[in-house]
Amino acid sequence: MIRGIHHVSIHVHNLDRMMAFYRKAFGFELVGDEFSWKNEPVLDTLIDVPGSAARGAMLRAGSCYVEMFEFQAPQGSSTPLNPYDKGYTHFCVDVASDIEGEYERLKALGMTFGAPAPIDMGHVKSVYGRDPEGNLIELQQTADHCEFRLDALPPVV
């Protein structure tokens, strides 16, 4: 039985910097210890990347885990994805209240946004921004009448 999405993974260029940003910006906390590998055939097989070497960490905020990797090998693309690119392009954080205040706070911490403010779509206020390495993050605040409110989900047992 599938219970839901466990985590989203982000490849970053500077793990220490990005962990500090996600801690301060979104309240993520380190879960367990950081980890690393090099010359580990089992891990190469697991992630289907021969000759991989990386360090990483699992972070948690609320009901969301984010796993970050800083790969030393192989070298990947340094171009962040756009909303229209193929594949996983962003994750969304749910704001309980005052999305405008969070928007300003995150800008002060180094996020960049294309829109001058969150946009009210009626059922949700939302805005896309980029973390200091260019990864897309959506901020959303759902209205009381929204059908997909995070706080309306039943508890997992």
Side-chain angles (χ1 to χ4, degrees):
M1 174 177 98
I2 302 291
R3 291 196 299 184
I5 294 172
H6 182 271
H7 69 271
V8 175
S9 183
I10 304 171
H11 174 215
V12 299
H13 296 288
N14 185 322
L15 183 64
D16 297 321
R17 175 177 164 221
M18 296 307 289
M19 282 183 13
F21 173 79
Y22 276 73
R23 285 175 172 160
K24 192 167 189 177
F26 303 111
F28 278 89
E29 298 176 353
L30 180 65
V31 177
D33 296 323
E34 292 182 32
F35 52 88
S36 63
W37 73 89
K38 184 178 181 177
N39 299 320
E40 294 286 342
V42 172
L43 278 167
D44 290 351
T45 301
L46 172 73
I47 65 172
D48 195 23
V49 179
S52 69
R55 58 186 284 249
M58 185 70 78
L59 305 170
R60 178 179 181 259
S63 61
C64 179
Y65 289 99
V66 169
E67 185 174 36
M68 288 188 182
F69 291 106
E70 177 185 323
F71 276 86
Q72 288 79 44
Q75 291 297 308
S77 170
S78 62
T79 306
L81 296 177
N82 291 300
Y84 53 83
D85 288 328
K86 174 77 173 104
Y88 303 104
T89 61
H90 77 279
F91 71 90
C92 177
V93 294
D94 195 61
V95 177
S97 63
D98 190 23
I99 191 170
E100 292 82 4
E102 286 298 311
Y103 172 91
E104 293 300 329
R105 185 181 71 80
L106 293 168
K107 273 180 39 177
L109 290 173
M111 276 193 74
T112 57
F113 296 92
I119 298 169
D120 191 341
M121 301 300 294
H123 66 294
V124 64
K125 285 183 184 178
S126 182
V127 65
Y128 280 52
R130 293 189 182 269
D131 71 17
E133 288 195 358
N135 300 301
L136 274 173
I137 301 168
E138 179 184 4
L139 306 179
Q140 78 170 15
Q141 180 180 331
T142 53
D144 290 340
H145 65 276
C146 182
E147 295 177 348
F148 51 83
R149 290 180 59 92
L150 190 59
D151 60 359
L153 290 173
V156 178
V157 289

